[in-house]
Amino acid sequence: MKTVVIAASGTYVGQAQSLSADDLARACGAEVEWVAQLVQVGIVDAAGARPADWRFHSGDLQRALETRRLERDFGACLDAAALILDLSHEVRQLRAQLRALDAPL
């Protein structure tokens, strides 16, 4: 019988916790410079005056991970990823509004 070992790691960010730019980069398998580019194009919002002080929350981690997937799976540049993320968010909001109105999708 063959034994398979699966190693997994995760990052949990609660309401009261936040991530530094280095933490966010590590969680995404990227460099801090990549995180700075995410901030520059508006994919994530950095709380703090300078990169060393930046703090990120769970929504930022989710958007960063989604951006990483878009880059990897589709070769999307950061500007395209930002547009895709915004449009996906808009679609989810509209679907939620339709569900609230009891309208069929």
Side-chain angles (χ1 to χ4, degrees), residues 36 41 46 82 90 95 103:
V41 297
E90 184 72 24
R95 285 183 177 163

Side-chain angles (χ1 to χ4, degrees), residues 26-102:
R26 194 173 325 108
C28 295
E31 301 294 325
V32 174
E33 293 77 19
W34 181 77
V35 173
Q37 291 174 339
L38 296 184
V39 172
Q40 184 179 6
V41 297
I43 291 175
V44 296
D45 295 320
R50 52 194 180 101
D53 300 328
W54 284 350
R55 305 305 297 169
F56 300 93
H57 298 285
S58 60
D60 298 315
L61 175 58
Q62 182 180 356
R63 286 179 64 86
L65 289 169
E66 289 173 3
T67 300
R68 205 68 170 150
R69 274 191 298 276
L70 289 169
E71 285 181 321
R72 180 192 65 228
D73 296 348
F74 301 106
C77 68
L78 291 182
D79 289 328
L83 179 61
I84 292 166
L85 291 173
D86 288 345
L87 291 173
S88 295
H89 178 72
E90 184 72 24
V91 167
R92 282 191 302 274
Q93 283 184 321
L94 291 170
R95 285 183 177 163
Q97 289 175 0
L98 285 173
R99 276 192 299 275
L101 295 170
D102 231 6

